[in-house]
Amino acid sequence: MEVNLTRVDEDFHFVATGASGVEINIDGSPEIGGHNAGARPMEMLLMGLGGCSAIDVIQILIKKRQQIDSFKINVKAEREQGELPSVFKQIHIHFILGGPLEELKVQQAIQLSMDKYCSVAAILYKTATISYTFELEK
């Protein structure tokens, strides 16, 4: 796997490109001189966690013959304060799924993703406690 970053301005704005060719803007916060022109690197880690798990959960639920009409994820995290580097210590993921889904199958799919399949979660478990909940919308 390879990604490339190209600096866009004289501050902290970069365009990152992965093997897929998709470009993502990255920037620092205004507090350090950034311009809000892209996601922060630590936000991207949480986005990666949500995306990785979402792909797993959808694949598992399809195999379990479940119909997913809607799917949202909310990820909240707390970083270690006053330390450098300031790593994530607590992460909570809330899954919100809609459709004629069986609650037990959704619970199993999420658990399998978080405990077995999601590579991003496996990395983040090394520094953070990750918890998760879910709800089904009708």
Side-chain angles (χ1 to χ4, degrees), residues 61-78:
L61 289 175
I62 288 171
K63 287 179 185 173
K64 292 178 176 284
R65 302 185 193 284
Q66 296 293 291
Q67 177 184 322
I68 306 164
D69 293 338
S70 63
F71 194 126
K72 295 181 265 186
I73 296 177
N74 175 269
V75 183
K76 293 182 182 176
E78 294 178 21

Side-chain angles (χ1 to χ4, degrees), residues 106-127:
V106 171
Q107 180 181 357
Q108 291 169 339
I110 293 169
Q111 184 174 4
L112 280 169
S113 172
M114 297 307 302
D115 297 342
K116 184 175 182 179
Y117 295 119
C118 181
S119 300
V120 179
I123 293 167
L124 290 171
Y125 273 129
K126 298 195 183 296
T127 64

Side-chain angles (χ1 to χ4, degrees), residues 41-116:
M42 294 298 281
E43 291 174 334
M44 292 179 66
L45 281 174
L46 297 179
M47 291 176 194
L49 174 62
C52 180
S53 184
I55 290 168
D56 292 341
V57 169
I58 290 169
Q59 287 180 326
I60 294 165
L61 289 175
I62 288 171
K63 287 179 185 173
K64 292 178 176 284
R65 302 185 193 284
Q66 296 293 291
Q67 177 184 322
I68 306 164
D69 293 338
S70 63
F71 194 126
K72 295 181 265 186
I73 296 177
N74 175 269
V75 183
K76 293 182 182 176
E78 294 178 21
R79 293 172 68 179
E80 195 168 55
Q81 296 299 313
E83 297 290 329
L84 291 176
S86 178
V87 300
F88 290 120
K89 297 311 282 177
Q90 301 283 331
I91 301 171
H92 182 77
I93 308 168
H94 184 66
F95 297 83
I96 306 162
L97 292 90
L101 297 158
E102 294 177 43
E103 186 171 340
L104 181 60
K105 290 183 178 181
V106 171
Q107 180 181 357
Q108 291 169 339
I110 293 169
Q111 184 174 4
L112 280 169
S113 172
M114 297 307 302
D115 297 342
K116 184 175 182 179

